Amino acid sequence: MAGLDPRITDASSKLFAEASSLMPGGVNSPVRAFGSVGSEPFFVRSASGAEITDVDGNSYVDFVQSWGALLFGHAHPRIVEAVTAAASKGTSFGTPSELEVELARLVVGMVPGIEKVRFVSSGTEAAMTGVRLARGATGRNKIIKFAGCYHGHLDSLLVAAGSGVATLGIPGTPGVTEATTADTIVIPFNDLVALQTAIEAAGNDLAAILIEPVAANMGLILPHDGYLEGVRKLATEAGALLVFDEVITGFRLGPGGAQERFGIVADLVLLGKIVGGGLPAAALAGSAELLDELAPTGPVYQAGTLSGNPVAMAAGIATLEMITEDENLYGRLQERARDLVRGLIDAADRAEVPMVAAAIGALGGFFFSGDEIEDYEGAESTDPDVYARFFRGMLAHGFYLPPSRFEALFISDAHTEEHIDGFASAAAAVFATP
Ligand SMILES: *Cc1c(COP(=O)(O)O)cnc(C)c1O
């Protein structure tokens, strides 16, 4: 497959060399360096719809979509227009604007069980605030998280954190003290017995159970039937808050995210990625009673210079409005996600390559494995080199997949049937290449 790469990458290589002398690994977020797929990143010149074009002029059908931040593809005219209009009126005020009220109204109207939101600038901040609020509101300390679930790079949660950390094989990370993670309990996903045991061990000091309802940072792993119901029940019985990290699933599984999809209401919801429409915005959401524990109404401190940034709010509003206006959107997205995965599985079957795959909402995922994968241990047991070869082969055919086997495939409304069919054909060609 290595000899198959027809791309000219001179301009990207040159930029990467300079970038590497100026920024660690040449990037500002580790997985972008393509290290785990044995390659070098392409540098983007521009992107439109489902396609992304690099500085050497190569175009790729993009199944990363800014790691899921884009539901309508790159540079959607309506979002660009909203951003441009907002920017022309001022890019940051540090004082309230109507746009925050508008986006908050939309979020509260779409996400089940919530009454108030606090906007922040990244999913990491939303998780950090959520953990602090859960501890502040309950007066308890311990947090249960799940191996392979990722909640951003806050210190206390950087234990068995999937995605970038898993890709790099960093067990937690240097720089985080044992004291910082001492109140973090890590257990396997999809295992209610382990959860029960962990809850018992935490005694009456459990503040929250924090979970990605659909795990999308260790590949894509769906919750077993009844699992989330069980988690909800155990959290309630333990007097702990259930925090759904819907930074990926929010507005991707449906307008109401995983809560709506599975009919389960969490106590706190973390939103990010799509809620900012491709700009830096994220949110913590929940009941008025809980959210009012945050300063200035409550004692739990949290703040941000660029929180509720007008340009980001405008992008979020345009995105959520497009979601509410199109009642066929998620049916269409789900169908494409299923077609994508089905085409891939068929190609793998024909080539006798062992593969399991899943699709839900506008998310797809696959593992090179003959067995079902249901937790991080399973995901980790898959062969990184097999994924890396497939990644490079697909890139050579003009399809950009996540540069890590621990990420999901992101489908946008800009992906057409041709893109989906092309993906399957390219996969077949890659499998056929010795
Ligand atoms: C991306 C992600 C985060 C972190 O969001 P950032 O904006 O990258 O800080 C948190 N939780 C989940 C589930 C994510 O996928």
Side-chain angles (χ1 to χ4, degrees):
M1 266 174 236
L4 187 154
D5 194 336
R7 296 174 305 144
I8 292 167
T9 56
D10 299 351
S12 274
S13 294
K14 204 163 159 251
L15 275 171
F16 189 52
E18 188 182 3
S20 299
S21 76
L22 295 167
M23 295 174 283
V27 294
N28 285 301
S29 197
V31 184
R32 292 181 197 172
F34 284 23
S36 75
V37 288
S39 189
E40 284 190 0
F42 58 83
F43 280 63
V44 178
R45 184 168 71 201
S46 66
S48 174
E51 296 191 20
I52 195 162
T53 303
D54 70 17
V55 287
D56 289 287
N58 304 296
S59 284
Y60 309 93
V61 182
D62 176 14
F63 285 100
V64 180
Q65 294 290 317
S66 188
W67 303 94
L70 307 172
L71 190 63
F72 293 97
H74 294 278
H76 189 283
R78 188 149 156 200
I79 295 172
V80 172
E81 200 180 305
V83 164
T84 311
S88 71
K89 293 180 192 159
T91 55
S92 181
F93 310 126
T95 193
S97 82
E98 191 177 350
L99 296 169
E100 290 157 83
V101 183
E102 264 185 60
L103 185 56
R105 194 191 302 128
L106 281 163
V107 171
V108 169
M110 293 165 82
V111 177
I114 66 160
E115 294 167 325
K116 288 196 171 179
V117 294
R118 164 63 52 93
F119 288 115
V120 292
S121 299
S122 71
T124 296
E125 270 187 273
M128 183 177 72
T129 308
V131 166
R132 188 181 303 148
L133 176 58
R135 286 175 169 153
T138 59
R140 297 168 167 201
N141 297 309
K142 299 213 180 301
I143 305 286
I144 291 178
K145 83 172 282 283
F146 299 83
C149 284
Y150 178 65
H151 308 290
H153 61 94
L154 58 152
D155 285 1
S156 64
L157 298 181
L158 275 180
V159 263
S163 178
V165 178
T167 299
L168 296 168
I170 299 170
T173 166
V176 173
T177 65
E178 275 172 36
T180 310
T181 56
D183 286 324
T184 308
I185 302 166
V186 186
I187 56 170
F189 192 76
N190 266 333
D191 183 345
L192 283 175
V193 176
L195 179 57
Q196 179 95 54
T197 308
I199 288 173
E200 278 159 22
N204 57 8
D205 199 25
L206 183 63
I209 299 172
L210 170 57
I211 189 166
E212 285 182 77
V214 170
N217 281 287
M218 45 175 158
L220 180 67
I221 298 182
L222 305 184
H224 290 161
D225 284 346
Y227 177 64
L228 294 173
E229 286 84 350
V231 174
R232 172 69 273 184
K233 184 164 167 282
L234 290 174
T236 306
E237 284 169 8
L241 300 179
L242 176 61
V243 186
F244 268 11
D245 183 341
E246 297 228 40
V247 170
I248 283 182
T249 51
F251 312 108
R252 187 162 282 283
L253 303 194
Q259 288 196 105
E260 179 181 58
R261 180 71 180 231
F262 294 100
I264 291 164
V265 176
D267 300 299
L268 287 172
V269 180
L270 314 180
L271 299 166
K273 299 195 167 118
I274 291 173
V275 80
L279 272 83
L284 172 66
S287 67
E289 191 190 352
L290 269 177
L291 267 280
D292 282 341
E293 289 287 315
L294 289 173
T297 34
V300 180
Y301 190 71
Q302 190 278 331
T305 303
L306 293 177
S307 294
N309 175 268
V311 184
M313 296 292 105
I317 292 165
T319 301
L320 267 47
E321 279 178 351
M322 285 197 281
I323 289 172
T324 52
E325 286 165 14
D326 184 352
E327 53 183 50
N328 299 322
L329 175 67
Y330 289 98
R332 202 161 61 229
L333 286 165
Q334 165 102 32
E335 203 172 310
R336 282 186 211 144
R338 285 194 184 137
D339 287 349
L340 183 78
V341 159
R342 202 173 291 133
L344 179 59
I345 282 281
D346 285 350
D349 281 352
R350 281 196 304 272
E352 295 179 11
V353 173
M355 179 180 283
V356 290
I360 185 169
L363 273 176
F366 64 96
F367 291 102
F368 288 105
S369 165
D371 304 317
E372 286 304 320
I373 304 288
E374 47 195 35
D375 59 15
Y376 181 59
E377 201 182 51
E380 216 189 5
S381 73
T382 61
D383 187 337
D385 295 334
V386 172
Y387 184 87
R389 270 202 311 279
F390 182 64
F391 169 90
R392 295 195 303 267
M394 290 301 282
L395 198 66
H397 280 87
F399 290 85
Y400 175 44
L401 274 57
S404 158
R405 75 197 145 112
F406 295 116
E407 309 283 353
L409 295 169
F410 294 99
I411 289 91
S412 81
D413 200 35
H415 287 101
T416 63
E417 241 169 76
E418 287 74 53
H419 293 133
I420 305 292
D421 294 346
F423 179 89
S425 309
V430 171
F431 292 142
T433 312

